[in-house]
Amino acid sequence: MESWSVEQVCNWLKQRNLGELVPKFREEEISGAALLALNDRMVQQLVKKIGHQAVLMDLIKKYQQQRSGLESLTYCCETASQKFPEVISGKNLKSFFARHKMLQWTSSYVLPDFPYDVKCVLAENKCPDHSMRIRIIEFLQADMTKYLEGSLYPNSQQYNIVVNALLQAYPFLDEDGNGFLLWKRALKDRFKYVRRPIEDDEQVLRNKCKFGHRRGQSRKSSFAENTLDDVQGQVEEEPAHLKGSAMDLHIKWLNQEYMKTQRNWEEVDNRMNATIEIRRKMISDKAPLKYILRQFPFLRCPYQLFREFQLLTHMDIYKKTVEILEIYSENILSLYVVRNNPINMMLQENLKQHTEEDVLKYMKMTAACLVLPEVFGDDSSLFAAVNEEVKAVTPVLEVKNPFNMNSCEFALYIEREELAQLNDCTMALAALVAAFHVFDIPCPKRIHRTLNFLESLVFEVRNPASLP
């Protein structure tokens, strides 16, 4: 980030929904080095909206922490290698640096400044023709090679990051929802095309020899071609037992079954079990959420979401959530900090209208769930949107008429799109916690204490977090 130009900083802002700040940053000539040197006072002078100030400072702080953490880890590793050379071998040390270099690449990538003719086409918000698509792919390939310090073997996650950045900046390129795969395939083909004639690059020659390619050898073998193409980072796209047609059959069946009203849930479970490796690989490689859900639509069903969580953690998230709300509801609502909370005041008004014990218990559990972020001083908008529009991109609950037994609605949203309808507050809370784990989504700092409290109880840690 230190070496970024002003234009790269502006692109970075746009990708993080801070496009309003771009004119001011250009006017003040804020480069990457200047961005990292900003303090609180400078940010207040530069940015008018408090929300933008908070987001910008948080992003800068995270990058600085990551950089300082990497430096300290590097120092510790080098020190350890001097003291214990037999424990930390050269191979392990190389793997360590490669892993952290990958993390650094992931956090810093921004789209390049495209040539003028490409900018003109993209500004029209129309899908480019074939020749212009080639221009875009060529420019992305050259830019990735620069980021990779000359390497011609990006791994799958790096392809995903670049294509995601392209489609986020220019959503119209996502042609009928299939743009991600098309652009990724085109980018991979471009790298393969560039590698093919190279005979003097050490890395290219090493991988060609490793995967059986020889000069003059026919390229008809699809296995050899695909293996060489997918050597990026030595990470395969799919598990060996789910390549090709078998994987397609599973996905096709799941999509057809999802459209039925009467579903064969036993077979759904079997097919989801059979595809879990490739699904987890897609998620860890940061494939777009909408693409994952298109391949595996049953993740929209709360039952399958909870089941996926249980496969990953061996914990029954729904059962644990019921226990948490039953045990802690009364204590949460008795805390002074939530006494004047609008949710609590709404609860008190509705309690007067009912006498049934089950209804009163349900209402109290609902209120306790919704006021939990305020108990820990967290941002409630990152937890639940009650009778208002969802604005957060991370997993968040949409709740309508929470205390009306006839018209209350709960839904889980991710990236401002509805993932699943939920029956009650218990299922909603369980789905929220499960979504962070199942889709490997980092927890926002402003809701961390609330989720840490819930997770410490779900995972039964020895010293669980307690109410303040």
Side-chain angles (χ1 to χ4, degrees):
M1 184 179 281
E2 294 91 337
S3 60
W4 286 1
S5 65
V6 174
E7 198 59 36
Q8 285 178 307
V9 171
C10 292
N11 288 335
W12 179 77
L13 291 171
K14 290 175 185 176
Q15 292 174 26
R16 282 152 181 80
N17 297 321
L18 295 173
E20 295 178 29
L21 308 183
V22 168
K24 189 66 175 176
F25 271 60
R26 283 200 179 111
E27 180 186 340
E28 299 293 338
E29 297 184 356
I30 304 296
S31 64
L35 179 66
L36 293 176
L38 294 176
N39 56 34
D40 292 356
R41 185 177 178 184
M42 292 177 184
V43 171
Q44 290 170 7
Q45 292 176 345
L46 192 65
V47 182
K48 299 303 179 186
K49 292 183 180 180
I50 295 177
H52 287 170
Q53 292 176 10
V55 172
L56 184 61
M57 286 303 300
D58 186 53
L59 289 170
I60 294 172
K61 189 180 296 183
K62 283 180 179 176
Y63 180 83
Q64 291 172 336
Q65 288 174 348
Q66 184 185 25
R67 184 178 60 174
S68 62
L70 180 59
E71 290 172 353
S72 61
L73 280 169
T74 303
Y75 172 78
C76 292
C77 191
E78 289 175 345
T79 305
S81 65
Q82 293 171 2
K83 292 182 178 180
F84 310 104
E86 71 283 358
V87 176
I88 302 183
S89 65
K91 184 177 180 181
N92 291 338
L93 195 61
K94 184 178 179 181
S95 174
F96 170 85
F97 284 121
R99 187 176 177 185
H100 285 284
K101 189 174 182 181
M102 172 61 202
L103 292 174
Q104 199 172 23
W105 194 96
T106 301
S107 65
S108 65
Y109 183 79
V110 293
L111 284 175
D113 188 16
F114 288 114
Y116 179 74
D117 59 332
V118 176
K119 284 182 180 178
C120 291
V121 172
L122 294 176
E124 295 176 358
N125 286 356
K126 295 180 181 178
C127 290
D129 60 21
H130 181 68
S131 61
M132 189 54 64
R133 287 171 66 92
I134 292 175
R135 288 271 289 147
I136 295 171
I137 288 295
E138 287 176 348
F139 214 77
L140 287 176
Q141 180 266 316
D143 189 63
M144 287 181 71
T145 304
K146 179 192 72 175
Y147 263 85
L148 295 167
E149 298 179 355
S151 172
L152 295 173
Y153 289 96
N155 63 32
S156 185
Q157 186 175 357
Q158 288 165 338
Y159 280 120
N160 290 345
I161 290 165
V162 173
V163 176
N164 269 331
L166 179 69
L167 297 185
Q168 285 176 11
Y170 307 104
F172 59 89
L173 296 178
D174 190 4
E175 304 159 15
D176 299 324
N178 296 317
F180 176 80
L181 286 179
L182 295 175
W183 286 98
K184 182 178 178 181
R185 182 71 261 172
L187 193 54
K188 292 177 74 173
D189 286 344
R190 176 63 189 173
F191 269 97
K192 185 163 61 172
Y193 175 79
V194 171
R195 290 195 299 261
R196 188 169 298 174
I198 295 177
E199 300 291 347
D200 56 354
D201 182 272
E202 182 181 349
Q203 186 185 14
V204 174
L205 291 173
R206 184 168 61 249
N207 283 299
K208 282 184 176 182
C209 292
K210 181 176 180 180
F211 290 95
H213 180 77
R214 298 290 184 271
R215 186 181 301 180
Q217 179 181 359
S218 170
R219 298 183 61 83
K220 290 182 181 179
S221 171
S222 61
F223 175 80
E225 181 172 328
N226 289 337
T227 308
L228 180 60
D229 182 48
D230 290 334
V231 74
Q232 300 98 2
Q234 283 69 54
V235 178
E236 292 185 358
E237 287 291 327
E238 301 171 1
H241 65 284
L242 280 179
K243 284 184 180 291
S245 59
M247 183 64 189
D248 294 338
L249 288 174
H250 284 306
I251 291 176
K252 184 177 180 180
W253 188 93
L254 288 168
N255 278 269
Q256 290 174 344
E257 193 71 10
Y258 184 74
M259 301 303 294
K260 298 179 181 178
T261 53
Q262 297 294 327
R263 295 160 178 166
N264 182 348
W265 287 108
E266 183 178 353
E267 184 63 19
V268 169
D269 290 349
N270 292 335
R271 303 264 183 169
M272 292 294 282
N273 283 349
T275 56
I276 189 168
E277 282 188 50
I278 183 62
R279 191 163 56 253
R280 300 318 307 169
K281 180 70 172 60
M282 289 164 58
I283 291 172
S284 66
D285 284 347
K286 306 302 179 187
L289 179 64
K290 61 182 179 180
Y291 172 68
I292 296 168
L293 294 175
R294 192 180 303 124
Q295 303 295 307
F296 303 101
F298 279 99
L299 288 178
R300 293 181 178 275
C301 300
Y303 162 75
Q304 284 296 331
L305 189 67
F306 298 156
R307 190 172 178 277
E308 189 93 350
F309 182 90
Q310 190 164 12
L311 290 172
L312 295 173
T313 65
H314 306 291
M315 289 291 176
D316 187 337
I317 182 70
Y318 181 75
K319 179 182 177 181
K320 286 292 179 183
T321 306
V322 172
E323 293 174 358
I324 291 169
L325 288 179
E326 287 182 343
I327 293 171
Y328 287 91
S329 291
E330 294 287 351
N331 291 339
I332 291 171
L333 295 175
S334 66
L335 294 172
Y336 179 79
V337 71
V338 301
R339 184 168 299 175
N340 296 321
N341 184 283
I343 298 293
N344 199 10
M345 296 172 70
M346 195 187 309
L347 168 69
Q348 300 307 321
E349 289 296 320
N350 281 273
L351 288 177
K352 298 173 185 177
Q353 303 172 20
H354 298 274
T355 56
E356 301 90 339
E357 185 176 341
D358 290 344
V359 173
L360 298 179
K361 179 182 178 181
Y362 170 82
M363 286 185 171
K364 289 179 180 178
M365 289 171 64
T366 301
C369 170
L370 297 178
V371 301
L372 200 55
E374 186 158 330
V375 170
F376 292 95
D378 282 339
D379 186 346
S380 59
S381 68
L382 298 179
F383 187 83
V386 182
N387 294 330
E388 60 184 34
E389 183 184 357
V390 170
K391 297 179 180 178
V393 295
T394 50
V396 67
L397 299 176
E398 182 192 56
V399 185
K400 296 180 180 178
N401 309 314
F403 303 112
N404 188 322
M405 303 302 295
N406 297 319
S407 63
C408 61
E409 295 179 12
F410 296 87
L412 175 64
Y413 275 66
I414 305 180
E415 296 179 0
R416 300 193 187 94
E417 293 187 9
E418 183 180 303
L419 180 80
Q421 291 281 344
L422 307 156
N423 295 338
D424 51 39
C425 68
T426 308
M427 183 177 284
L429 185 59
L432 179 70
V433 176
F436 279 99
H437 287 268
V438 169
F439 297 111
D440 194 20
I441 299 172
C443 172
K445 188 176 181 181
R446 289 178 291 157
I447 201 69
H448 173 75
R449 284 171 292 210
T450 303
L451 290 180
N452 181 58
F453 168 74
L454 294 169
E455 289 175 354
S456 68
L457 297 173
V458 168
F459 293 117
E460 300 176 346
V461 299
R462 181 170 295 180
N463 296 309
S466 59
L467 294 172

Coordinates of all heavy atoms in Angstrom, one line a residue, residues 184-229:
K184 N -13.1 -15.6 -15.1 CA -12.1 -16.4 -14.4 C -11.4 -17.3 -15.4 O -10.2 -17.5 -15.5 CB -12.6 -17.1 -13.2 CG -11.5 -17.9 -12.5 CD -12.1 -18.6 -11.3 CE -11.0 -19.5 -10.6 NZ -11.5 -20.2 -9.4
R185 N -12.3 -18.0 -16.2 CA -11.8 -18.9 -17.2 C -11.0 -18.2 -18.3 O -9.9 -18.7 -18.7 CB -13.0 -19.6 -17.9 CG -12.7 -20.7 -19.0 CD -12.1 -21.9 -18.3 NE -10.7 -22.0 -18.4 CZ -9.9 -22.9 -17.8 NH1 -10.5 -23.8 -17.1 NH2 -8.6 -22.8 -17.9
A186 N -11.4 -17.0 -18.7 CA -10.7 -16.2 -19.7 C -9.3 -15.8 -19.2 O -8.3 -15.8 -19.9 CB -11.5 -15.0 -20.1
L187 N -9.3 -15.4 -17.9 CA -8.0 -15.0 -17.3 C -7.1 -16.2 -17.1 O -5.9 -16.0 -17.4 CB -8.3 -14.4 -15.9 CG -7.2 -13.6 -15.2 CD1 -6.7 -12.5 -16.1 CD2 -7.7 -13.0 -13.9
K188 N -7.6 -17.3 -16.8 CA -6.7 -18.5 -16.7 C -6.2 -18.9 -18.0 O -5.0 -19.3 -18.2 CB -7.5 -19.7 -16.0 CG -7.8 -19.5 -14.6 CD -8.7 -20.6 -14.0 CE -7.8 -21.8 -13.8 NZ -8.6 -22.9 -13.1
D189 N -7.0 -18.8 -19.0 CA -6.6 -19.2 -20.4 C -5.5 -18.2 -20.9 O -4.6 -18.6 -21.6 CB -7.8 -19.1 -21.4 CG -8.7 -20.3 -21.2 OD1 -8.3 -21.3 -20.6 OD2 -9.8 -20.3 -21.7
R190 N -5.6 -16.9 -20.5 CA -4.6 -15.9 -20.9 C -3.3 -16.3 -20.3 O -2.2 -16.2 -20.9 CB -5.1 -14.5 -20.4 CG -4.1 -13.4 -20.7 CD -3.8 -13.3 -22.2 NE -2.7 -12.4 -22.4 CZ -2.1 -12.1 -23.6 NH1 -2.6 -12.7 -24.7 NH2 -1.1 -11.3 -23.7
F191 N -3.2 -16.7 -19.0 CA -2.0 -17.0 -18.4 C -1.4 -18.3 -19.0 O -0.2 -18.4 -19.2 CB -2.2 -17.3 -16.9 CG -2.0 -16.1 -16.0 CD1 -3.0 -15.3 -15.6 CD2 -0.7 -15.7 -15.6 CE1 -2.8 -14.2 -14.8 CE2 -0.5 -14.6 -14.8 CZ -1.5 -13.8 -14.4
K192 N -2.3 -19.2 -19.4 CA -1.8 -20.4 -20.1 C -1.2 -20.1 -21.4 O -0.2 -20.7 -21.8 CB -3.0 -21.4 -20.2 CG -2.6 -22.8 -20.8 CD -3.6 -23.8 -20.5 CE -4.9 -23.5 -21.1 NZ -5.9 -24.7 -21.0
Y193 N -1.9 -19.2 -22.1 CA -1.4 -18.7 -23.4 C 0.0 -18.1 -23.3 O 0.9 -18.3 -24.1 CB -2.4 -17.8 -24.1 CG -1.9 -17.2 -25.4 CD1 -2.0 -17.9 -26.6 CD2 -1.4 -15.9 -25.4 CE1 -1.6 -17.3 -27.8 CE2 -1.0 -15.3 -26.6 CZ -1.1 -16.0 -27.8 OH -0.7 -15.4 -28.9
V194 N 0.2 -17.3 -22.3 CA 1.5 -16.6 -22.1 C 2.5 -17.6 -21.7 O 3.7 -17.4 -22.1 CB 1.3 -15.5 -21.0 CG1 2.7 -14.9 -20.6 CG2 0.4 -14.4 -21.5
R195 N 2.2 -18.6 -20.9 CA 3.2 -19.5 -20.4 C 3.7 -20.5 -21.6 O 4.8 -20.9 -21.6 CB 2.6 -20.4 -19.3 CG 2.4 -19.7 -18.0 CD 2.2 -20.7 -16.9 NE 1.1 -21.5 -17.1 CZ -0.1 -21.3 -16.5 NH1 -0.3 -20.3 -15.7 NH2 -1.1 -22.1 -16.7
R196 N 2.8 -20.8 -22.5 CA 3.0 -21.8 -23.5 C 4.3 -21.7 -24.3 O 5.1 -22.6 -24.4 CB 1.8 -21.9 -24.5 CG 1.9 -23.1 -25.4 CD 0.6 -23.2 -26.1 NE -0.5 -23.5 -25.2 CZ -1.8 -23.6 -25.6 NH1 -2.2 -23.4 -26.8 NH2 -2.7 -23.9 -24.7
P197 N 4.7 -20.5 -24.8 CA 5.9 -20.4 -25.6 C 7.2 -20.2 -24.8 O 8.3 -20.2 -25.4 CB 5.6 -19.2 -26.5 CG 4.7 -18.3 -25.7 CD 3.9 -19.2 -24.9
I198 N 7.1 -20.0 -23.5 CA 8.2 -19.7 -22.7 C 9.1 -20.9 -22.5 O 8.6 -22.0 -22.1 CB 7.8 -19.1 -21.3 CG1 7.1 -17.7 -21.6 CG2 9.0 -18.9 -20.4 CD1 6.6 -17.1 -20.3
E199 N 10.4 -20.8 -22.8 CA 11.3 -21.9 -22.7 C 12.5 -21.6 -21.7 O 13.2 -22.5 -21.4 CB 11.9 -22.3 -24.0 CG 10.8 -22.7 -25.1 CD 10.2 -24.0 -24.8 OE1 10.7 -24.7 -23.9 OE2 9.1 -24.3 -25.4
D200 N 12.6 -20.4 -21.2 CA 13.7 -20.1 -20.4 C 13.4 -19.6 -19.0 O 14.3 -19.3 -18.2 CB 14.6 -19.0 -21.1 CG 13.7 -17.7 -21.4 OD1 12.5 -17.8 -21.2 OD2 14.3 -16.7 -21.9
D201 N 12.1 -19.6 -18.6 CA 11.7 -19.2 -17.3 C 11.8 -20.5 -16.4 O 11.3 -21.5 -16.7 CB 10.3 -18.7 -17.3 CG 9.9 -18.2 -15.9 OD1 9.4 -19.1 -15.1 OD2 10.1 -17.0 -15.5
E202 N 12.6 -20.3 -15.3 CA 12.8 -21.5 -14.4 C 11.6 -22.1 -13.9 O 11.4 -23.3 -13.9 CB 13.8 -21.1 -13.3 CG 14.1 -22.2 -12.4 CD 15.0 -21.7 -11.2 OE1 15.5 -20.6 -11.3 OE2 15.3 -22.5 -10.3
Q203 N 10.6 -21.2 -13.4 CA 9.4 -21.8 -12.8 C 8.5 -22.5 -13.8 O 8.0 -23.5 -13.6 CB 8.6 -20.6 -12.1 CG 7.4 -21.1 -11.4 CD 6.6 -20.0 -10.8 OE1 6.7 -18.8 -11.2 NE2 5.7 -20.3 -9.9
V204 N 8.4 -21.9 -15.0 CA 7.6 -22.5 -16.1 C 8.2 -23.8 -16.5 O 7.5 -24.8 -16.6 CB 7.5 -21.6 -17.3 CG1 6.8 -22.3 -18.4 CG2 6.8 -20.3 -16.9
L205 N 9.5 -23.9 -16.7 CA 10.1 -25.2 -17.0 C 10.0 -26.2 -16.0 O 9.7 -27.4 -16.2 CB 11.6 -24.9 -17.3 CG 11.9 -24.1 -18.6 CD1 13.4 -23.8 -18.7 CD2 11.5 -24.9 -19.8
R206 N 10.1 -25.8 -14.7 CA 10.0 -26.8 -13.6 C 8.6 -27.4 -13.5 O 8.5 -28.6 -13.4 CB 10.3 -26.0 -12.3 CG 10.3 -27.0 -11.1 CD 10.9 -26.3 -9.8 NE 10.1 -25.1 -9.4 CZ 10.6 -23.9 -9.5 NH1 11.8 -23.6 -10.0 NH2 9.8 -22.8 -9.2
N207 N 7.6 -26.6 -13.7 CA 6.2 -27.1 -13.7 C 5.9 -27.9 -14.9 O 5.1 -28.9 -14.8 CB 5.2 -25.9 -13.5 CG 5.2 -25.4 -12.1 OD1 4.8 -26.1 -11.2 ND2 5.5 -24.2 -11.9
K208 N 6.4 -27.5 -16.1 CA 6.2 -28.3 -17.3 C 6.8 -29.7 -17.1 O 6.2 -30.7 -17.5 CB 6.8 -27.6 -18.5 CG 5.9 -26.5 -19.0 CD 6.5 -25.9 -20.3 CE 5.6 -24.8 -20.9 NZ 6.1 -24.2 -22.1
C209 N 8.0 -29.8 -16.6 CA 8.6 -31.1 -16.3 C 7.9 -31.9 -15.3 O 7.6 -33.1 -15.4 CB 10.1 -30.9 -15.9 SG 11.1 -30.2 -17.2
K210 N 7.4 -31.2 -14.2 CA 6.7 -31.9 -13.1 C 5.5 -32.5 -13.6 O 5.1 -33.6 -13.2 CB 6.5 -30.9 -12.0 CG 5.8 -31.5 -10.8 CD 5.6 -30.4 -9.7 CE 4.9 -31.1 -8.5 NZ 4.8 -30.1 -7.4
F211 N 4.8 -31.9 -14.5 CA 3.5 -32.4 -15.0 C 3.5 -33.0 -16.3 O 2.5 -33.1 -17.1 CB 2.4 -31.3 -14.9 CG 2.1 -30.9 -13.5 CD1 2.7 -29.8 -12.9 CD2 1.2 -31.6 -12.8 CE1 2.4 -29.4 -11.6 CE2 0.9 -31.2 -11.5 CZ 1.5 -30.1 -10.9
G212 N 4.7 -33.5 -16.8 CA 4.8 -34.3 -17.9 C 4.8 -33.7 -19.3 O 4.6 -34.3 -20.3
H213 N 4.9 -32.3 -19.3 CA 4.9 -31.7 -20.6 C 6.3 -31.7 -21.2 O 7.3 -31.3 -20.5 CB 4.4 -30.2 -20.5 CG 4.3 -29.5 -21.8 ND1 3.3 -29.7 -22.7 CD2 5.1 -28.5 -22.3 CE1 3.6 -28.9 -23.7 NE2 4.6 -28.2 -23.5
R214 N 6.5 -32.0 -22.5 CA 7.8 -32.0 -23.1 C 7.6 -31.2 -24.4 O 6.6 -31.1 -25.0 CB 8.2 -33.4 -23.5 CG 8.4 -34.3 -22.2 CD 9.6 -33.8 -21.4 NE 9.9 -34.7 -20.3 CZ 9.3 -34.6 -19.1 NH1 8.5 -33.6 -18.9 NH2 9.6 -35.4 -18.1
R215 N 8.7 -30.6 -24.8 CA 8.7 -29.8 -26.1 C 8.3 -30.7 -27.2 O 8.9 -31.8 -27.4 CB 10.1 -29.2 -26.3 CG 10.1 -28.3 -27.5 CD 11.5 -27.7 -27.7 NE 12.0 -27.0 -26.6 CZ 13.2 -26.4 -26.5 NH1 14.1 -26.5 -27.6 NH2 13.6 -25.8 -25.4
G216 N 7.4 -30.2 -28.0 CA 6.9 -31.0 -29.2 C 5.8 -32.0 -28.9 O 5.3 -32.7 -29.7
Q217 N 5.5 -32.2 -27.6 CA 4.5 -33.2 -27.2 C 3.1 -32.7 -27.5 O 2.8 -31.5 -27.4 CB 4.6 -33.4 -25.7 CG 3.6 -34.4 -25.1 CD 3.7 -34.6 -23.6 OE1 4.6 -34.0 -23.0 NE2 2.9 -35.4 -23.1
S218 N 2.3 -33.6 -28.0 CA 0.9 -33.2 -28.3 C 0.2 -32.7 -27.1 O 0.4 -33.3 -26.0 CB 0.2 -34.4 -28.9 OG -1.2 -34.1 -29.0
R219 N -0.7 -31.7 -27.2 CA -1.4 -31.2 -26.1 C -2.9 -31.7 -26.1 O -3.8 -31.1 -25.6 CB -1.4 -29.7 -26.2 CG 0.0 -29.1 -26.0 CD -0.1 -27.5 -26.0 NE -0.9 -27.1 -24.9 CZ -0.4 -26.9 -23.6 NH1 0.8 -27.2 -23.4 NH2 -1.2 -26.4 -22.7
K220 N -3.1 -32.9 -26.7 CA -4.4 -33.4 -26.8 C -4.9 -34.0 -25.5 O -6.1 -34.1 -25.3 CB -4.5 -34.5 -27.9 CG -4.4 -33.9 -29.3 CD -4.5 -35.0 -30.3 CE -4.3 -34.4 -31.7 NZ -4.4 -35.5 -32.8
S221 N -4.0 -34.4 -24.7 CA -4.4 -35.0 -23.4 C -5.0 -33.9 -22.5 O -4.4 -33.0 -22.0 CB -3.2 -35.6 -22.7 OG -3.5 -36.0 -21.4
S222 N -6.3 -34.1 -22.3 CA -7.0 -33.1 -21.5 C -6.6 -33.1 -20.0 O -6.5 -32.1 -19.4 CB -8.6 -33.3 -21.6 OG -8.9 -34.6 -21.1
F223 N -6.2 -34.3 -19.5 CA -5.8 -34.4 -18.2 C -4.5 -33.7 -17.9 O -4.4 -32.9 -17.0 CB -5.6 -35.9 -17.8 CG -5.0 -36.1 -16.4 CD1 -5.8 -36.0 -15.3 CD2 -3.7 -36.3 -16.2 CE1 -5.3 -36.1 -14.0 CE2 -3.1 -36.4 -14.9 CZ -4.0 -36.3 -13.8
A224 N -3.5 -33.8 -18.8 CA -2.2 -33.1 -18.7 C -2.4 -31.6 -18.8 O -1.8 -30.9 -18.1 CB -1.3 -33.6 -19.8
E225 N -3.3 -31.2 -19.7 CA -3.5 -29.8 -20.0 C -4.2 -29.2 -18.7 O -3.8 -28.1 -18.3 CB -4.4 -29.6 -21.2 CG -4.6 -28.1 -21.5 CD -5.3 -27.9 -22.8 OE1 -5.1 -28.8 -23.7 OE2 -6.1 -27.0 -23.0
N226 N -5.2 -29.9 -18.2 CA -5.9 -29.3 -17.1 C -5.0 -29.3 -15.8 O -5.0 -28.4 -15.0 CB -7.2 -30.1 -16.8 CG -8.2 -29.9 -17.8 OD1 -8.2 -28.9 -18.5 ND2 -9.1 -30.8 -18.0
T227 N -4.2 -30.3 -15.7 CA -3.3 -30.4 -14.5 C -2.3 -29.3 -14.5 O -2.1 -28.6 -13.5 CB -2.6 -31.7 -14.4 OG1 -3.6 -32.8 -14.5 CG2 -1.8 -31.9 -13.2
L228 N -1.7 -29.0 -15.7 CA -0.7 -28.0 -15.9 C -1.4 -26.6 -15.6 O -0.8 -25.8 -14.9 CB -0.1 -28.0 -17.3 CG 1.0 -26.9 -17.5 CD1 2.1 -27.1 -16.6 CD2 1.5 -27.1 -19.0
D229 N -2.6 -26.5 -16.1 CA -3.3 -25.2 -16.0 C -3.7 -24.9 -14.5 O -3.7 -23.8 -14.1 CB -4.6 -25.2 -16.8 CG -5.3 -23.9 -16.8 OD1 -4.6 -22.8 -16.9 OD2 -6.5 -23.9 -16.5

